[in-house]
Amino acid sequence: LVHDDGDEEDLEEDEVVQGGSLYAEHPAARRFEEKAAKAREAEEAATSVELEGWRLEGHALVRRRVARSFDEGGHTLGLITRWLPADEASGDGALFHAVHDDGDEEDLEEDEAAEAAALSEALGAEARAAAAECARTRLVQPKYENKQLKKGERAEAGHLGVEGARAEIGALEQALLPGLRAAGSRWVAPKARIRVRWLQSLDEAERASELAASLVELEQHLRELQSAADVSERKPWRSDAHEWLGRSVRRFFWLKSEQRWLCTDASVGSWLPAEGSDVALWHVTHDDGDEEDLEEHEVAIALEHYSEGRTEPLPS
């Protein structure tokens, strides 16, 4: 089922029956049907004008398979779909409309159509298979255009993959260039030719890993100019103002290969208060040196495990 808004779904038989009943009872159904009927009439009228004089039957060549050979070599297969009888008054001969498997169309004169039909019958299996493969590779799909967004905001082929990433990195470097020049960076020093080599490597990159290396190199030159410390998006970890700091906890990890629980003890060293949508975290250091960050409910359970001296975790 294809909805008017473009969505699609699969329905069972009783759902289709129910949907038909709802549609028939809907007050807008009659208006929709009248509108659809007018659209069909307009389409049929346009088609009849377009095909005026053309016939879908009445000649032996209609519906015949044809083959055409072109200068670039090979063959293309097609089908004669309609024909236009000769006009004795104007002296125009009959025409035959052929639709090729690769999507191209052309009108052939009668001798050309007959020759193409004979060639199709004479083609061997190997040549026919080669022509079919050629049609598949040449078939041009309609270009998709996202008309929901303004042209400047639409995603195009050049915005994707390696080419898209290359363009983004190049645009980033262009935006940073005035600042690099103002700071006297070696990046723009004529003798060093760092930027020249970087632009060349960016242009020649064929894989994402090569683009990543170019981006890292650019970042390294930016870091050479950085005088301030890195800014953290969250407040720093705290080692005060919480009762769990310094407490011992016990964690259990299931060893699948040995079918048993591994028990390890740890101590709570610091914590990070909740902020916005980020939950609070507690940083614990295990006796064997491993570290991990736990959420509040995990710390509460680990504290209980330790205080009760458990050798297996509480049942969940």
Side-chain angles (χ1 to χ4, degrees), residues 132-146:
E133 178 62 26
C134 181
R136 280 193 292 271
T137 57
R138 290 178 58 193
L139 185 62
V140 178
Q141 297 296 324
K143 182 180 179 181
Y144 170 76
E145 187 176 6
N146 182 5

Side-chain angles (χ1 to χ4, degrees), residues 259-296:
Q259 292 295 297
R260 68 178 182 87
W261 289 103
L262 172 66
C263 172
T264 66
D265 291 340
S267 60
V268 181
S270 57
W271 75 297
L272 191 63
E275 184 177 2
S277 60
D278 296 325
V279 300
L281 294 174
W282 282 261
H283 187 78
V284 302
T285 302
H286 292 269
D287 293 346
D288 59 5
D290 285 345
E291 302 179 23
E292 63 175 329
D293 297 328
L294 304 179
E295 295 183 7
E296 185 174 6

Side-chain angles (χ1 to χ4, degrees), residues 129-196:
E133 178 62 26
C134 181
R136 280 193 292 271
T137 57
R138 290 178 58 193
L139 185 62
V140 178
Q141 297 296 324
K143 182 180 179 181
Y144 170 76
E145 187 176 6
N146 182 5
K147 296 183 179 180
Q148 297 297 320
L149 296 176
K150 297 179 180 179
K151 285 189 176 181
E153 300 174 351
R154 297 175 188 172
E156 299 177 356
H159 300 158
L160 308 175
V162 171
E163 289 303 318
R166 188 200 322 277
E168 290 290 334
I169 295 173
L172 174 63
E173 192 269 348
Q174 285 290 328
L176 294 171
L177 197 56
L180 289 167
R181 287 199 177 104
S185 171
R186 294 187 305 113
W187 184 262
V188 293
K191 293 184 178 180
R193 294 180 61 81
I194 296 174
R195 182 171 186 262
V196 174

